[in-house]
Amino acid sequence: MSDARAEKEWTRAQSVPAQSLEHLFKAEPDRLSRLTVEEAGIYFDFSKTHLSREILDAFGALAEIQGLAGARDALFSGQLVNVTEGRAAEHSAERGQGAAQSVQRAQEFHSRMRSLVDAIEAGVFGEIRHILHVGIGGSALGPDFLVDALGRDAGRYDVAVVSNVDGAALEEAVSRFDPQTTLLLIASKTFTTSETMLNARSALTWMEEGGVADPYGRVVAMTASPETAIEFGVDETRILPFSESVGGRYSLWSSIGLPVALALGWDGFETMLEGASGMDRHFRLQPIERNAPVLAAFVDRYYANVRKAETRAVFAYDERLRLLPSYLQQLEMESNGKSVTIEGKPVGRASAQITWGGVGTDAQHAVFQLLHQGTHLVPVEFVAAIEPEHGLDFAHHRQLLINCFAQGAALMAGKQSDDPARSYSGDRPSTSILLDRVDPGALGALIAFYEHRTFVNAVLLGINPFDQFGVELGKEIAGSIDAGGEVRFDASTRALISRALGETE
Ligand code: F6P
């Protein structure tokens, strides 16, 4: 890697004169075909972004200087890409793409997981109708998103994912459950996360108070630390391990995905893995200019670092995908919200954009005013599906899609008026991601696309996307407050503790 050579390409990208989207469409007649990519039942359209040929050249050169191809090989071959934690990042091995040994290990873990799914379905735990999954961050967001998106109609189990330590969350979830027919899943890579441990204990108490003779006998643990789960009281036969080298926010492919496998059935879970595997192959094999995760990362870097956009917004024009923005917030911001490079030097430019978003068409009546006329530049991403899920009149889906496409067109075209309050500047960028349908294969591919895009962003910035030390200090201080410890807090914090908890130092 050469800092000076990379800087030259950043400067080159910055010095490309800004051209409007309208101009780019006129000047580049092949723009639509060049900047659209189709893979695994997903159509990606980057044409309504300011990626010009010059920008693509500069970022292509930057990718080469930053060693993207080598970094990608290192990722897939199980090298220690997570240097600060001395680990590989082997989430793709979970879907059959990676070092042979890691793939084999993942398959062994999956077959153990499958046997447990079969046992649950065969009634080994008695009649199970409710699945209570406790976990937080990467141990909750992926399963929650997928079960919410795909498990609604599966009708196999009623699944609740509880993450927040606020007791109101657990109380609400169990209010609709019968403890006698509930299976408790404890999902935690480390099996030490305080929120999850407390929620798990309270769930066990709820089962006990509900007359379950052996609540621990109804627990399944998904973890990379089986010995800690055993210490907690989970029987070894009901522990589904996964590899330490699978990061928390990349773990839904591992046993952390158990509620997905239960909600969709094993075939559905496998189809999801296959969809992701297809996107892995696309990322590995396609040249830069046809590679969806790479092009998406170029879009991110262009707006974050050339146009200085601080945020990016994702709108799911599909109710089934309503949890996508929350899922992406952790993936993108926990991965790339860093200030230093892999070498420990200041990164020197904006890293992760702030990811936010919502659901269309609701968001049109809430936040789109700012997108169309506000002073912030916000690259927007629309995610929609051609096929609806509901049985109502197709008019609903037609309206939904028409609105989605109209918003992208309006952001780009704008409209002039003599009245400044009624003028739209236009030239506002958007990306469209159109799925043939929302099914396990397509969502597997979509999530893998986002994972790889996050990785490419990190490579371009020279940072490690696989650690998350930024979350530790707050945990440490909470631990000190909890222990009534030695740490002397500031006057403001002391007053808050004293006022709310009646505790003084
Ligand atoms: O707080 C951050 C974090 O470490 C995430 O990266 C992780 O997904 C989450 O906590 C939960 O951790 P665990 O799975 O170990 O309970």
Side-chain angles (χ1 to χ4, degrees), residues 97-114:
Q97 300 285 326
Q101 238 183 352
S102 311
V103 170
Q104 195 192 333
R105 194 149 175 251
Q107 282 167 352
E108 283 161 17
F109 287 151
H110 277 149
S111 74
R112 198 180 152 106
M113 183 177 163
R114 183 184 188 160

Side-chain angles (χ1 to χ4, degrees), residues 119 157 172 176 300 334 397 480 483:
Y157 302 97
E172 195 209 318
R176 63 173 207 267
D300 294 337
E334 194 168 80
H397 203 61
S480 302

Side-chain angles (χ1 to χ4, degrees), residues 136-139 188-190 193 248-249 330 334 468 471 475:
I136 198 163
S139 294
S188 176
K189 179 174 176 184
T190 56
T193 304
R249 56 193 169 276
Q330 189 205 20
E334 194 168 80
Q468 59 284 316
V471 301
K475 287 187 198 171

Side-chain angles (χ1 to χ4, degrees), residues 39-42 44 92 94-97 253 267-283 439-452:
E39 183 66 48
I42 311 179
F44 299 89
S92 62
E94 299 289 321
R95 47 233 194 189
Q97 300 285 326
W253 322 100
D267 287 352
F269 185 72
E270 271 200 335
T271 307
M272 182 187 85
L273 297 180
E274 279 159 22
S277 183
M279 186 55 70
D280 290 334
R281 282 192 297 275
H282 171 92
F283 177 51
D439 64 15
L443 289 198
L446 182 70
I447 296 170
F449 156 78
Y450 281 117
E451 288 179 347
H452 294 318

Side-chain angles (χ1 to χ4, degrees), residues 392-407:
L392 296 187
D393 195 322
F394 187 73
H396 283 271
H397 203 61
R398 192 175 142 73
Q399 279 297 314
L400 183 70
L401 293 185
I402 284 174
N403 271 279
C404 177
F405 306 149
Q407 291 301 322

Side-chain angles (χ1 to χ4, degrees), residues 216-452:
Y216 279 87
R218 292 272 199 80
V219 173
V220 177
M222 300 97 91
T223 184
S225 182
E227 52 300 331
T228 323
I230 292 171
E231 269 169 43
F232 183 90
V234 186
D235 190 87
E236 210 178 342
T237 56
R238 276 175 279 102
I239 295 177
L240 295 178
F242 63 96
S243 164
E244 190 66 51
S245 60
V246 174
R249 56 193 169 276
Y250 301 87
S251 64
L252 74 93
W253 322 100
S254 72
S255 58
I256 294 290
L258 181 64
V260 183
L262 287 168
L264 307 184
W266 189 259
D267 287 352
F269 185 72
E270 271 200 335
T271 307
M272 182 187 85
L273 297 180
E274 279 159 22
S277 183
M279 186 55 70
D280 290 334
R281 282 192 297 275
H282 171 92
F283 177 51
R284 291 178 90 163
L285 301 175
Q286 287 300 316
I288 276 183
E289 63 280 6
R290 301 300 307 148
N291 196 307
V294 175
L295 290 173
F298 286 176
V299 171
D300 294 337
R301 286 306 103 215
Y302 176 74
Y303 291 112
N305 303 118
V306 178
R307 295 288 188 99
K308 314 291 183 209
E310 293 199 322
T311 79
R312 77 179 208 93
V314 181
F315 296 100
Y317 272 69
D318 198 299
E319 195 65 18
R320 292 166 290 183
L321 305 181
R322 63 187 170 180
L323 297 183
L324 177 64
S326 322
Y327 173 78
L328 291 179
Q329 284 183 323
Q330 189 205 20
L331 177 64
E332 299 182 354
M333 296 201 280
E334 194 168 80
S335 296
N336 288 341
K338 314 275 168 71
S339 305
V340 293
T341 65
I342 278 181
E343 289 90 19
K345 294 185 197 151
V347 70
R349 52 181 48 82
S351 56
Q353 287 160 297
I354 296 160
T355 308
W356 63 284
V359 183
T361 60
D362 291 6
Q364 289 174 204
H365 302 274
V367 297
F368 273 49
Q369 163 64 38
L370 179 147
L371 298 179
H372 287 288
Q373 288 189 316
T375 50
H376 293 80
L377 168 66
V378 184
V380 173
E381 188 159 283
F382 297 103
V383 186
I386 296 174
E387 266 186 24
E389 181 207 35
H390 56 79
L392 296 187
D393 195 322
F394 187 73
H396 283 271
H397 203 61
R398 192 175 142 73
Q399 279 297 314
L400 183 70
L401 293 185
I402 284 174
N403 271 279
C404 177
F405 306 149
Q407 291 301 322
L411 285 166
M412 180 167 108
K415 189 177 160 198
Q416 300 317 311
S417 160
D418 294 341
D419 178 358
R422 291 182 167 78
S423 279
Y424 301 76
S425 66
D427 199 34
R428 296 179 184 230
S430 66
T431 297
S432 298
I433 299 179
L434 190 58
L435 282 64
D436 287 344
R437 62 192 67 81
V438 174
D439 64 15
L443 289 198
L446 182 70
I447 296 170
F449 156 78
Y450 281 117
E451 288 179 347
H452 294 318

